[in-house]
Amino acid sequence: MSRPESTTSRGGIAPNGRTLGTATVAGVLSYLVTYALTYAMTGQQIANSLAARVLELATGDPGTWKLVGWVFYSAHYVTSEIPGLFGSTSVNLISRGDAFSPALFVLPPVILLIAGALVAVAARAESPLSGAVGGASVALGYLPLAIAGALAFSISVGDSNAGPTLVTAVLLAGIVYPLVFGGVGGALGSLASNR
């Protein structure tokens, strides 16, 4: 009886090319699903807000999708910079008040845990370590979108920009979240794939 294809390259814990491809797609889908769920939970509220109306008057763009992006990054603990007369202010739109549900903080970790687990199961990870490495590889798809999203959700305000802080978006949303939660999900998924 032949052994099923493993998640690792020859003799190590490094994911093989197929696993990396699966992880990249899982990372992209994780980002998109998390944003879509954030939009579903906050989009209507944001569209009806004073901030969205002021933004539309100032820029001519409804901007709801951009403001939802700010909330999306806030769910990753990434602050948004808002310029003002006396300097810029950093805010996390979820923890700043009761406008948005704190349950939004749970979305990115849960989606990334699921993605990491699915990568490990699809790759038939042989151990929790190889599953964790494969699961953490979702960062390959998540990181580029985290960078692109932080730039796309930026709004020009006079001579400056408002939006997610790029460095924090890269470090937290693009690297730490997918590595940690994708890795944990992958380790857990490897246990399911070995049953």
Side-chain angles (χ1 to χ4, degrees):
M1 175 183 248
S2 69
R3 185 159 173 85
E5 185 179 331
S6 161
T7 185
T8 57
S9 58
R10 287 187 202 146
I13 60 165
N16 62 27
R18 181 176 171 202
T19 301
L20 291 176
T22 302
T24 301
V25 170
V28 168
L29 291 175
S30 297
Y31 183 95
L32 296 174
V33 166
T34 304
Y35 177 80
L37 290 172
T38 303
Y39 197 101
M41 293 174 68
T42 64
Q44 189 65 38
Q45 180 182 356
I46 290 173
N48 294 331
S49 71
L50 177 62
R53 291 181 184 150
V54 168
L55 178 62
E56 185 174 2
L57 287 173
T59 64
D61 179 13
T64 300
W65 66 277
K66 289 186 178 188
L67 294 176
V68 169
W70 294 18
V71 175
F72 169 84
Y73 280 92
S74 290
H76 293 81
Y77 289 95
V78 174
T79 58
S80 292
E81 293 286 325
I82 301 172
L85 293 175
F86 304 107
S88 63
T89 304
S90 295
V91 296
N92 182 305
L93 298 176
I94 299 172
S95 62
R96 186 166 190 220
D98 59 352
F100 302 109
S101 170
L104 289 163
F105 284 122
V106 178
L107 277 179
V110 168
I111 300 297
L112 286 164
L113 280 167
I114 292 168
L118 291 174
V119 168
V121 169
R124 297 181 186 102
E126 295 175 351
S127 71
L129 182 57
S130 64
V133 172
S137 299
V138 298
L140 296 172
Y142 210 85
L143 175 61
L145 290 182
I147 295 168
L151 296 171
F153 299 138
S154 180
I155 298 168
S156 294
V157 180
D159 293 339
S160 57
N161 289 323
T165 310
L166 184 59
V167 172
T168 314
V170 170
L171 294 176
L172 281 177
I175 297 173
V176 172
Y177 266 70
L179 287 179
V180 170
F181 294 109
V184 170
L188 294 173
S190 72
L191 301 176
S193 71
N194 287 320
R195 289 186 177 201

